[in-house]
Amino acid sequence: MKMLWLTLLLTLVMPGQTPVTAFPLRSKDEIPAQRLAGPPEAEQKFAEEYLRHFYDYKPKSQRQKRAADGHVDNEWTTDFCNKVQEMQRFFGLPPSGELTNETLAVMRRPRCGLSDVERFEETIRWKKNTLSYRITGYNFPIPASKVHKVFRAAWKIWSNVAPMKFRKRNRKEADIVISFHNGDHKDGSPFDGKGGILAHAFQPGYGIGGDVHFDADEEWSFNSTGFNLLAVAVHEFGHALGLPHSSDLGAIMYPAYNFAPTHELQLSFRDVKDVQNMYGVSPNFDSLFSKNPPPRTPDKCDPDLSFDAVSELQQEVLFFKDRFMWRRHPKFDETGMTLISSLWSDNVPSYLDAVYENVERNVIVFFKGQKYWILRQLKLEEGFPRNISDFGFPSTIKSVDAALHFRNKRLTVFFTGKQCWRYNELQKTMQGSPTLIEEQWPGVPTPIDAAVFYEGFVHFFKGNIHYEFDSLSKSVVSTGPLNNELDCRETGDNEVLPERR
Ligand code: ZN
Ligand code: CA
């Protein structure tokens, strides 16, 4: 499954190739009726099955699909495209309604077996705060003592934030039964072998209610090989407590497997709010989280948003923040957010300082502290990360604020504090001594957060402000809220901030 995912990613960003995602956005009524000619039938079938399972799509029978003259029934295709759009919106993809390569790649990601559109009529929660659980079966893919330890840790992650107690039982009946199963295990939701669906759980209730099943065919692990059991267990236990899926990319309750070993596994702000809305706040919550509050997923409409780094990547502009990035494509109006690790796995750290694309060498360069990473087509070049002294920086420079690459001049400008450095990419040497930013780039504040060249202007970012700099007149020609660069035009509007449910 890992191999497949990587192959799919490669198809998205191979140099010189226009991503197949490049369909212009259309309004609903403009979605073409005739679109079966697009993806191969197998992919169409796979997508239908995915949407049926996770988005409550009800495919019509073959006969209904085709009108008497053999043409595709418009109503059916509209239904299908609407469901594709619903799925694309949930995952932050451009909602084209088309089965793009990127859409199919997301559909193929390993994930939880529960639906993304389950509408709970009323919140179903346990009416007690002490729950018992039991681990049954003998077919553990890994040592039983370790499995027990992982599950105890997973429950603790929830009881740290909500006033719950979880007690393990070895013999008697328990509220929550946890087990591993292969294939069809007689609950109406068979597992599918390696990859695909990893686990599922049942809402709180009697009998099977609250139970959690793991696919025994997966390669479960305690680290980053295969699938991390703790990461999946925390997610499934969330369902066992009554939580639905969240479209918040940083949430544990996000339906796709997102585990990044470089990042500490923790509940996001959204997970914490959701579970506390159901069960209340754990008495230990403040003492446990006052110093390290649960991380909020960045919101492109947050008026206080700032960027870590901004870079071009082929036709796209990438805006980096924490472990996430927004991808702005010239052909789409909507700017989708993804995890940095979704594109470059664990080769690139989060909380970056600076990033630039060197088109001539066909590489992208990442900076954090005194280290830098060079990647070619998603792969880390051998011997990296290396020290930024390679560029000619003295050891007094501990980090780079921003990097600005000019394709035609084969020049990269680095910004550190009040200074800027000119690096000749052809000779691989620093040109002369650093100069003052206020002399070279009048009107640009220091230190800056990020710099990038696109659409004929140099763009600087500092705090929540975006500065557009014209190189010809050597002046800042416009400033504005940084959110405008992410198709968010409603800054300051409280409605667009993360909502509390
Ligand atoms: Zn789930
Ligand atoms: Ca599976």
Side-chain angles (χ1 to χ4, degrees):
M1 199 58 203
K2 264 199 165 151
M3 287 301 295
L4 177 64
W5 182 212
L6 188 65
T7 321
L8 286 160
L9 282 172
L10 281 166
T11 60
L12 294 179
V13 289
M14 285 295 260
Q17 180 200 344
T18 308
V20 194
T21 49
F23 294 102
L25 277 186
R26 275 179 278 247
S27 71
K28 263 187 193 170
D29 18 271
E30 284 177 286
I31 288 170
Q34 184 78 43
R35 64 164 317 289
L36 266 187
E41 207 173 322
E43 291 188 339
Q44 176 79 26
K45 271 186 115 172
F46 163 77
E48 278 182 32
E49 186 54 30
Y50 183 95
L51 295 171
R52 190 190 63 74
H53 196 124
F54 301 112
Y55 286 83
D56 203 23
Y57 170 60
K58 295 185 179 68
K60 293 184 178 170
S61 69
Q62 282 301 322
R63 203 190 313 177
Q64 279 172 295
K65 278 182 198 172
R66 309 208 169 254
D69 58 358
H71 280 109
V72 179
D73 174 2
N74 285 356
E75 197 189 320
W76 170 72
T77 40
T78 309
D79 270 6
F80 179 77
C81 291
N82 287 345
K83 280 295 172 191
V84 173
Q85 280 186 314
E86 194 177 344
M87 175 267 170
Q88 288 169 326
R89 287 213 169 84
F90 191 95
F91 282 96
L93 298 167
S96 63
E98 303 267 355
L99 274 188
T100 60
N101 278 1
E102 195 167 9
T103 305
L104 285 161
V106 170
M107 286 181 173
R108 288 200 178 94
R109 283 172 73 172
R111 57 162 294 153
C112 171
L114 267 69
S115 162
D116 296 339
V117 290
E118 204 83 59
R119 303 260 179 264
F120 298 124
E121 293 293 307
E122 49 179 318
T123 317
I124 299 177
R125 51 156 284 182
W126 297 95
K127 304 292 182 225
K128 51 188 178 183
N129 282 32
T130 300
L131 296 172
S132 58
Y133 71 94
R134 206 180 137 193
I135 304 161
T136 64
Y138 302 93
N139 56 340
F140 297 137
I142 38 187
S145 62
K146 280 198 160 187
V147 170
H148 286 236
K149 218 172 143 187
V150 165
F151 291 158
R152 190 165 60 233
W155 286 122
K156 189 155 192 308
I157 284 178
W158 289 109
S159 62
N160 280 345
V161 302
M164 316 282 294
K165 286 199 174 96
F166 302 101
R167 299 248 157 84
K168 193 176 82 158
R169 279 191 185 160
N170 293 327
R171 282 184 202 89
K172 281 199 296 180
E173 288 282 295
D175 300 312
I176 294 165
V177 178
I178 307 167
S179 48
F180 290 83
H181 299 277
N182 306 83
D184 189 357
H185 50 286
K186 310 282 183 279
D187 64 357
S189 303
F191 282 137
D192 52 1
K194 264 192 189 305
I197 293 168
L198 305 178
H200 57 222
F202 296 84
Q203 279 182 275
Y206 296 108
I208 204 168
D211 287 4
V212 181
H213 298 164
F214 293 88
D215 189 340
D217 285 331
E218 306 300 343
E219 187 196 333
W220 295 107
S221 79
F222 307 105
N223 47 45
S224 56
T225 60
F227 296 110
N228 183 281
L229 183 61
L230 179 66
V232 178
V234 176
H235 175 100
E236 297 304 330
F237 292 1
H239 288 313
L241 294 174
L243 293 174
H245 278 154
S246 169
S247 62
D248 184 325
L249 188 56
I252 287 280
M253 295 316 293
Y254 189 72
Y257 182 77
N258 260 350
F259 178 67
T262 49
H263 182 79
E264 186 201 345
L265 185 79
Q266 56 184 333
L267 298 180
S268 73
F269 174 81
R270 179 64 54 98
D271 298 311
V272 171
K273 278 293 166 215
D274 286 350
V275 76
Q276 289 183 343
N277 280 347
M278 287 176 97
Y279 293 98
V281 180
S282 150
N284 306 326
F285 182 70
D286 286 340
S287 66
L288 284 171
F289 292 93
S290 58
K291 276 190 186 146
N292 268 320
R296 283 172 188 256
T297 305
D299 177 346
K300 67 180 171 187
C301 292
D302 175 0
D304 293 326
L305 179 68
S306 62
F307 295 134
D308 296 338
V310 182
S311 174
E312 281 190 289
L313 182 61
Q314 290 162 50
Q315 310 137 290
E316 290 180 74
V317 185
L318 307 184
F319 302 87
F320 296 87
K321 180 68 178 177
D322 303 353
R323 56 194 176 106
F324 309 89
M325 62 181 177
W326 286 276
R327 299 171 63 172
R328 190 170 106 172
H329 195 284
K331 291 188 179 148
F332 292 118
D333 286 340
E334 292 192 30
T335 312
M337 186 168 75
T338 57
L339 284 163
I340 296 173
S341 60
S342 298
L343 202 52
W344 292 292
S345 23
D346 307 321
N347 292 322
V348 174
S350 43
Y351 298 88
L352 288 154
D353 288 336
V355 180
Y356 75 94
E357 183 192 25
N358 185 330
V359 184
E360 304 76 37
R361 286 185 59 206
N362 189 23
V363 296
I364 180 160
V365 191
F366 300 86
F367 294 83
K368 181 172 178 167
Q370 282 184 301
K371 286 185 188 158
Y372 76 105
W373 290 251
I374 291 187
L375 275 87
R376 193 185 299 270
Q377 292 178 21
L378 309 180
K379 284 212 180 93
L380 189 65
E381 295 273 271
E382 209 166 305
F384 284 94
R386 289 178 56 91
N387 195 287
I388 56 171
S389 60
D390 289 355
F391 288 88
F393 287 114
S395 59
T396 49
I397 299 295
K398 304 292 183 204
S399 64
V400 173
D401 296 334
L404 177 60
H405 184 69
F406 294 96
R407 295 179 181 194
N408 299 337
K409 297 182 190 164
R410 302 280 179 103
L411 172 76
T412 305
V413 181
F414 293 109
F415 298 83
T416 61
K418 289 176 187 291
Q419 294 181 316
C420 56
W421 310 66
R422 294 163 67 87
Y423 181 77
N424 184 318
E425 293 280 356
L426 275 181
Q427 293 167 7
K428 296 194 172 184
T429 53
M430 211 65 99
Q431 287 180 339
S433 310
T435 51
L436 286 174
I437 295 172
E438 62 182 15
E439 285 168 9
Q440 300 291 322
W441 311 91
V444 174
T446 58
I448 61 157
D449 294 337
V452 67
F453 181 86
Y454 59 81
E455 291 165 7
F457 292 99
V458 178
H459 302 259
F460 290 101
F461 300 89
K462 182 182 172 65
N464 56 0
I465 306 291
H466 161 233
Y467 301 81
E468 202 169 60
F469 190 94
D470 177 25
S471 298
L472 288 177
S473 66
K474 264 197 125 181
S475 61
V476 173
V477 288
S478 81
T479 60
L482 150 157
N483 316 75
N484 286 359
E485 296 306 288
L486 298 179
D487 83 81
C488 180
R489 309 279 162 183
E490 299 173 59
T491 49
D493 185 344
N494 280 333
E495 274 180 11
V496 294
L497 287 172
E499 56 210 79
R500 200 196 146 127
R501 290 200 296 192

